[in-house]
Amino acid sequence: MNDKQEAKFRELTGQPVGHLVCKMAAPTIISMMVTACYNMVDTYFVGQLHSNSATGAVGVVFSLMAVIQAVGFFFGHGSGNYISRQLGRHESGDAGKMAATGVTLAFLAGCVILTLGQIFLTPLARLLGSTDTILPYARSYLRIILLGAPYMTASFVLNNQLRFQGSAAYGMVGIAAGAVLNVGLDPLLIFVLDMGVAGAALATILSQFVGGAIPLVYFLRPNSSKLRLGRTSFHGRALLKACANGSSEFMTNISMSVVNMLYNWQLMRLMGSGGVAVYGVIMYVNFIFIAIFLGYSMGSAPIVGYHYGAGNRTELRGLLRKSLCIITVMSVVLTAAALLLARPLSLIFVSKEPALLPVTIRAFSIYSLSFLMVGHNIYASSFFTALNDGFISALISFARTLVFQVAAVIVLPVLWGIDGVWAAVVAAETLALLLSAACLVGKRKKYGYA
């Protein structure tokens, strides 16, 4: 390391834990909330087309966006946690090689998604939940989103690596710039140029290009960062560990995609296309609230990795204790806010469809109760990822996002009808909270945070 890099390292590991977490987590929270706005903005403007099918198409394709994001998080979190631990051990050369390898693999994976998606466009749209009425809109939106898949996966990795080496603010700037562009392009492309849902997809892709270009420029230009993109190097053992460690985030997003398709199937059966539109609205609003928990967990993960790699067990214990307290307070505040804002938020998206308004308000009110538990579960999974325990992290994510949710969304509608669909996530997060608590208690001595 040079003197500037050494100073940067001391800045990351020498500050009080509470101050450092706020410094790292705040930009990540903002980044995640802005990311959540991408699809929400598309939903809002497409909703002005006065078509449930067009709005439903954006919701249906959201499942594919989750897959693309899953690939980005898989390589981004996996390589990022490896990077943070190597930097904690002052091994910046290995960290740089892993950074370049993560970006390269993510881009290649995006190319695979693009190729297969374009070849099997209609079957893919059907698989995601498109009905005959939704299919034409879904194909238009999907075709363009797929074109940006390679760049989106790579940009997710770059932004994650910025965060894991202590420069989360730069990633936030890139994502925020892309979001502002998206807001400006949506009305222009959808209405002025009369491109409809295809215009919304194009706006999203162009915005993602901008969001990914800023972290790329940061890494390529001379700077004081302790992480530099090195030569792509496929070291089997290190790469295997990184991939295993990123599997929990990959599983979370893939599971979300599968569960979204199951929700869409249940809602089509119980409510028709209107139910799919309601669920799409809830998902976008929900992700803004979830983004706060995701942002905090992702923002604090590098600190966990640094101190674990450096053997600072006292700081690790303090970080866990403070984080659980912060998340508990946030959980109560966000649940109360969601219940109070259920009607105003619903009015934003379904004001043109009066029949859907009471259904959306009730659905969001029930769904909001999950915010009491979800933050703790997200943090627990992220905490174990940062500790290089990919198995426990994946176990929590897999059970929370797939096993418990699939069981709940199949069983509860049989008992409570449409309300059972909205309550499924509450039941799943409650079960996941019990699992997370058991894992944190069971592993406390092994990792020294007892």
Side-chain angles (χ1 to χ4, degrees):
M1 285 188 188
N2 59 37
D3 292 340
K4 290 184 177 180
Q5 291 174 337
E6 184 67 29
K8 181 72 171 178
F9 176 80
R10 288 197 301 271
E11 179 185 356
L12 286 169
T13 56
Q15 296 181 15
V17 169
H19 173 77
L20 190 56
V21 167
C22 291
K23 179 180 178 180
M24 295 285 287
T28 310
I29 290 173
I30 295 172
S31 297
M32 293 303 297
M33 292 184 69
V34 171
T35 299
C37 290
Y38 273 100
N39 286 89
M40 192 178 76
V41 168
D42 283 357
T43 302
Y44 172 77
F45 284 110
V46 170
Q48 306 309 304
L49 296 173
H50 308 285
S51 170
N52 284 342
S53 296
T55 305
V58 179
V60 162
V61 178
F62 180 76
S63 296
L64 178 73
M65 296 289 287
V67 173
I68 294 172
Q69 189 175 53
V71 174
F73 281 165
F74 176 61
F75 293 109
H77 277 263
S79 63
N81 280 295
Y82 180 89
I83 287 166
S84 68
R85 287 191 302 276
Q86 294 304 99
L87 293 176
R89 296 165 182 154
H90 295 251
E91 297 178 4
S92 58
D94 287 345
K97 291 178 182 178
M98 180 57 72
T101 303
V103 174
T104 301
L105 290 175
F107 183 84
L108 293 175
C111 290
V112 173
I113 294 173
L114 164 61
T115 303
L116 294 178
Q118 295 289 0
I119 293 173
F120 302 105
L121 188 65
T122 297
L124 176 59
R126 291 284 192 187
L127 179 64
L128 294 173
S130 297
T131 62
D132 290 338
T133 56
I134 291 176
L135 183 61
Y137 299 99
R139 281 175 51 88
S140 297
Y141 193 80
L142 186 58
R143 181 180 288 109
I144 295 177
I145 289 294
L146 284 167
L147 294 175
Y151 194 82
M152 283 194 287
T153 53
S155 67
F156 277 125
V157 175
L158 285 168
N159 276 293
N160 274 284
Q161 291 174 350
L162 271 178
R163 175 168 49 79
F164 275 99
Q165 67 93 38
S167 302
Y170 286 94
M172 178 190 70
V173 170
I175 293 173
V180 171
L181 180 62
N182 193 29
V183 172
L185 288 177
D186 261 337
L188 173 65
L189 297 176
I190 294 172
F191 304 114
V192 177
L193 298 182
D194 197 26
M195 294 180 64
V197 293
L202 183 57
T204 296
I205 294 305
L206 293 175
S207 303
Q208 292 280 359
F209 282 149
V210 172
I214 290 179
L216 181 60
V217 170
Y218 173 84
F219 278 123
L220 293 178
R221 70 177 178 82
N223 60 70
S224 61
S225 168
K226 61 190 178 303
L227 177 66
R228 306 294 297 168
L229 290 178
R231 185 175 62 184
T232 298
S233 180
F234 299 97
H235 292 297
R237 181 175 296 180
L239 187 59
L240 182 62
K241 287 183 178 179
C243 290
N245 209 29
S247 62
S248 60
E249 282 70 27
F250 179 77
M251 182 58 66
T252 297
N253 285 271
I254 290 295
S255 298
M256 182 172 65
S257 179
V258 173
V259 169
N260 280 346
M261 287 186 276
L262 183 57
Y263 269 87
N264 287 335
W265 176 80
Q266 284 281 42
L267 289 167
M268 282 298 301
R269 184 177 65 85
L270 295 170
M271 284 185 61
S273 60
V276 176
V278 170
Y279 180 63
V281 169
I282 291 175
M283 282 297 95
Y284 300 136
V285 177
N286 162 74
F287 195 57
I288 288 184
F289 285 82
I290 295 297
I292 297 176
F293 296 123
L294 286 170
Y296 182 85
S297 299
M298 293 166 63
S300 62
I303 314 305
V304 175
Y306 284 129
H307 286 302
Y308 180 63
N312 300 328
R313 298 298 186 261
T314 300
E315 287 81 358
L316 192 61
R317 289 195 296 272
L319 174 59
L320 176 62
R321 183 171 59 251
K322 290 176 182 178
S323 293
L324 291 177
C325 291
I326 290 171
I327 289 172
T328 298
V329 173
M330 288 195 299
S331 298
V332 174
V333 171
L334 289 177
T335 302
L339 291 171
L340 291 173
L341 295 173
R343 181 178 180 82
L345 291 173
S346 300
L347 279 169
I348 293 174
F349 296 98
V350 296
S351 59
K352 305 294 183 182
E353 300 287 341
L356 294 181
L357 181 60
V359 179
T360 307
I361 293 172
R362 179 171 178 81
F364 192 69
S365 298
I366 296 173
Y367 197 100
S368 297
L369 298 177
S370 65
F371 299 143
L372 288 171
M373 290 78 67
V374 66
H376 296 87
N377 297 327
I378 290 173
Y379 181 79
S381 178
S382 178
F383 183 73
F384 283 110
T385 298
L387 293 177
N388 199 31
D389 195 332
F391 175 77
I392 295 297
S393 178
L395 174 64
I396 295 172
S397 294
F398 182 74
R400 168 184 163 254
T401 58
L402 187 63
V403 177
F404 295 151
Q405 284 220 47
V406 167
V409 80
I410 290 175
V411 174
L412 294 187
V414 176
L415 302 175
W416 300 329
I418 193 66
D419 283 348
V421 178
W422 315 128
V425 67
V426 182
E429 294 294 350
T430 301
L431 294 173
L433 182 62
L434 298 176
L435 176 61
S436 297
C439 291
L440 285 170
V441 172
K443 293 289 184 177
R444 66 191 186 284
K445 292 183 179 180
K446 176 179 179 180
Y447 294 112
Y449 58 80

